[in-house]
Amino acid sequence: MSEPYAPTLEAALARIAAVRPAAYARTRNALDGAVSGLSPYISHGIVSLAEVLAGVAAHHRLDMQHKFVYELGWRAYFRHVWQQHGDGILRSLHEGPLPDSAYATELPADIRQAQTGVPVIDEAVRTLYRSGMLHNHARMWLASYIVHLRHVHWRAGADWLYGHLLDGDLASNHLSWQWVAGTGSRKPYLFNAENVARYAPAAWHSPGSVIDTSYDALDLLARQPWPGVAASPAGAATDEPLLHDSPPAALAATAPSATDVAGRDVWLVHPWSLGLLPPALPADTLVLGLFVDEFHWAWPWSERRWHFVGRRMAELADRLWQGDAAAIGSALASARSVRSVAEPHLEAWLPRWAACEPAPALFPPVARRCDSFSQWWTHASRGLHSAADLLAVNEVPAW
């Protein structure tokens, strides 16, 4: 049986070819709906948003308001917010239903161990640990329960989820949590047992649980301080997978060495630029894969994600480096030239070492700060009527 998420361009292209936009629009909210499964490939730059849309639009006519185009827009919008706020996305953009101080800062063990006794939550946690993936609707349910019913700060939940996701992206993940929490949107996102029963398989249904109530009652719970009642773990505990702040030994990453790059033209490949190498890259260019310690000390990954990224990087690069920023910078100073693709995850370090080309874009740049998706969408889609119009902005060819 093939890997569900093989770290190859071929696997990404097969998923693009399999997209059925009409079915996606009709069923995407259901856990067994026709979602694309492309997020790990987009997050790690194996394919860009533009390449995804070009591949789908080659076989399906899409207007700008199609749900598939709209959802690609959300990812671009979250990057826009990141560009505007920088590390501010890691803090509440504004106050939610309660002050930040009203929320716990640690994720309770019964949530981490899938022992809440609320089937939808425990199934979501087990699915996350088992696959490294979670349907977007399930992510929203999980975040809403953690923030609004258990009164845990969104940042604690967002950091935990990011570590276990194969497709974890700081902008998409943390700003989605803020949208649910009400610190990045006008109101908190709430859900109940009826909503789960409509969109999830039977094993996820949660009748008689704390979420089996009205939206008015849930809204009241979200706006009242947590009473401080400890949860009683229910059922057998699920072990939380370990997170790692360095690549596995099997990847054979070495410490940065000036000898490796002395006098060479270097192209840096990082975990968010795993697509095809530039076609005009001179044949004698050293392709160097890079893991920056400071990033991974702050944001460790699951073993599954390390292997996904590492295997693809090893296909592209002549050698892999892992080291701290000072060692990397010192070693690269001996190169004749260093180039790479710009990436906000590495914004604190990458521009010091390399001339960075912009990452491929799908939507026109929106210079003004937009504090809502609808505001951003108005500017990003102005004058565009179809996916073909959007692709023409950046002259993106189909695969």
Side-chain angles (χ1 to χ4, degrees):
M1 188 165 148
S2 62
E3 296 177 78
Y5 295 97
T8 65
L9 178 60
E10 292 73 21
L13 295 180
R15 286 188 176 272
I16 292 172
V19 172
R20 299 294 178 263
Y24 173 87
R26 187 176 62 254
T27 69
R28 67 188 181 88
N29 285 330
L31 266 57
D32 58 358
V35 295
S36 70
L38 281 163
S39 55
Y41 302 96
I42 295 171
S43 290
H44 291 293
I46 296 176
V47 289
S48 67
L49 293 182
E51 289 164 342
V52 168
L53 185 59
V56 175
H59 303 286
H60 306 275
R61 184 176 178 83
L62 301 175
D63 63 43
M64 275 298 292
Q65 304 306 316
H66 194 282
K67 286 292 186 184
F68 189 79
V69 181
Y70 206 67
E71 291 305 313
L72 295 179
W74 270 102
R75 182 173 283 263
Y77 168 66
F78 285 145
R79 285 293 174 117
H80 166 84
V81 177
W82 198 1
Q83 183 180 41
Q84 296 293 322
H85 290 271
D87 287 346
I89 68 167
L90 304 179
R91 300 182 292 274
S92 295
L93 297 177
H94 57 74
E95 190 170 281
L98 296 169
D100 276 3
S101 60
Y103 297 91
T105 57
E106 296 289 334
L107 194 66
D110 68 293
I111 297 176
R112 288 182 175 275
Q113 297 172 1
Q115 288 184 295
T116 68
V118 182
V120 61
I121 301 305
D122 296 340
E123 285 291 332
V125 174
R126 286 191 286 264
T127 300
L128 172 68
Y129 292 167
R130 183 172 62 249
S131 67
M133 290 291 288
L134 201 56
H135 188 286
N136 189 60
H137 213 162
R139 298 185 198 201
M140 292 166 63
W141 292 336
L142 183 59
S144 182
Y145 171 82
I146 288 171
V147 176
H148 300 308
L149 276 80
R150 297 295 297 274
H151 286 60
V152 177
H153 195 274
W154 68 265
R155 177 69 195 272
D159 287 4
W160 163 75
L161 188 67
Y162 172 87
H164 292 289
L165 287 172
L166 187 60
D167 65 356
D169 174 272
L170 287 179
S172 292
N173 182 63
H174 281 59
L175 289 169
S176 291
W177 276 79
Q178 293 223 49
W179 187 87
V180 168
T183 60
S185 57
R186 296 188 192 90
K187 61 181 181 179
Y189 167 79
L190 304 170
F191 77 108
N192 63 11
E194 182 181 355
N195 185 257
V196 174
R198 181 178 178 186
Y199 292 110
W204 296 62
H205 295 182
S206 303
S209 71
V210 66
I211 65 166
D212 193 6
T213 187
S214 69
Y215 281 99
D216 286 343
L218 290 167
D219 187 68
L220 189 60
L221 287 172
R223 298 176 189 280
Q224 291 180 336
W226 176 245
V229 179
S232 300
T238 299
D239 291 334
E240 180 177 358
L242 295 175
L243 300 179
H244 307 274
D245 62 8
S246 60
L251 292 182
T254 61
S257 168
T259 304
D260 292 344
V261 299
R264 303 285 300 274
D265 293 316
V266 176
W267 179 263
L268 295 181
V269 172
H270 53 69
W272 300 273
S273 65
L274 300 180
L276 292 174
L277 297 174
L281 211 59
D284 61 346
T285 300
L286 176 69
V287 180
L288 184 64
L290 199 62
F291 297 114
V292 181
D293 281 346
E294 281 88 344
F295 177 83
H296 295 290
W297 291 336
W299 305 102
W301 285 350
S302 67
E303 184 177 2
R304 178 184 287 105
R305 188 171 187 183
W306 276 112
H307 282 291
F308 182 90
V309 170
R311 284 172 54 192
R312 175 58 180 169
M313 189 181 283
E315 285 185 357
L316 297 169
D318 300 306
R319 65 182 68 225
L320 307 184
W321 277 3
Q322 175 223 337
D324 63 51
I328 292 169
S330 177
L332 286 174
S334 67
R336 181 166 60 188
S337 69
V338 184
R339 293 189 297 145
S340 190
V341 175
E343 172 52 47
H345 286 92
L346 299 178
E347 182 64 26
W349 310 285
L350 195 59
R352 300 184 207 163
W353 308 325
C356 294
E357 301 177 3
L362 173 58
F363 293 87
V366 176
R368 63 171 292 177
R369 170 175 159 173
C370 298
D371 293 325
S372 71
F373 175 80
S374 60
Q375 187 182 45
W376 175 85
W377 182 259
T378 297
H379 293 283
S381 64
R382 180 172 289 141
L384 304 175
H385 304 288
S386 68
D389 292 342
L390 178 57
L391 292 166
V393 171
N394 294 300
E395 298 182 351
V396 180
W399 284 100

